[in-house]
Amino acid sequence: MPQPFHLAIPVTNLEECRVFYRDILNCEEGRSSNHWVDFNFFEHQLVIHLDENKTEAVSNPVDGKEVPVPHFGVVLEWDIFHNFAENLKQKNINFIIEPYIRFEGLVGEQATMFFKDPSGNALEFKSFKDQTQLFAK
């Protein structure tokens, strides 16, 4: 198993984002202070840090959609991705890009979805039926 990554991101409202990552994405909360909170983000360490001066992201076109930059997320197993997407729909997540199959029938075919946390950080979750396609050209 690969080693977990560590990612620290800025948020403008610590409590609102704490609730989002804990209750909407179901990430287990770890250590915290008045200025930051650790989460188990799909077996990786995500830390949200209070930053009231956070700037908005931009976007780039990919497969006919405007993909927010920067963004982050994880590659999930196929069934887990679809169950997670359904769970998010039931929680009324406002998707930037609704769950769909990108590059259908082509190299790198994948399920993907994009949405933002309450501070405007863009997240992408994706899945490949064939994991060997992750880095395929």
Side-chain angles (χ1 to χ4, degrees), residues 32-33 37 42 49 75 81-82 86-88 93 105 112 118 126:
S32 65
S33 80
V37 181
F42 301 85
H49 285 271
V75 178
F81 172 91
H82 292 285
E86 281 306 311
N87 183 274
L88 292 173
I93 285 294
T112 187
K126 62 170 64 179

Side-chain angles (χ1 to χ4, degrees), residues 76-119:
L76 301 172
E77 292 178 16
W78 191 258
D79 292 338
I80 292 172
F81 172 91
H82 292 285
N83 291 335
F84 185 55
E86 281 306 311
N87 183 274
L88 292 173
K89 288 177 185 178
Q90 290 174 7
K91 292 179 178 177
N92 296 315
I93 285 294
N94 184 20
F95 291 98
I96 299 168
I97 298 175
E98 296 268 343
Y100 83 108
I101 305 300
R102 174 192 286 167
F103 309 131
E104 193 164 4
L106 303 173
V107 173
E109 179 177 333
Q110 60 195 260
T112 187
M113 63 180 148
F114 288 83
F115 53 91
K116 291 184 179 181
D117 73 11
S119 287

Side-chain angles (χ1 to χ4, degrees), residues 40-59:
N40 177 342
F41 185 76
F42 301 85
E43 303 303 318
H44 301 281
Q45 184 186 43
L46 174 68
V47 186
I48 59 173
H49 285 271
L50 184 59
D51 178 1
E52 296 171 352
N53 299 313
K54 184 183 169 315
T55 60
E56 280 299 312
V58 296
S59 64

Side-chain angles (χ1 to χ4, degrees), residues 124-135:
E124 176 186 19
F125 288 87
K126 62 170 64 179
S127 182
F128 295 81
K129 276 188 181 177
D130 178 358
Q131 286 283 359
T132 66
Q133 293 286 299
L134 182 63
F135 298 108

Side-chain angles (χ1 to χ4, degrees), residues 18 21-22 26-33 36-41 44-48:
R18 169 185 260 146
Y21 285 97
R22 184 188 63 214
N26 298 320
C27 297
E28 182 180 344
E29 186 175 327
R31 296 176 303 275
S32 65
S33 80
W36 55 268
V37 181
D38 280 349
F39 289 99
N40 177 342
F41 185 76
H44 301 281
Q45 184 186 43
L46 174 68
V47 186
I48 59 173

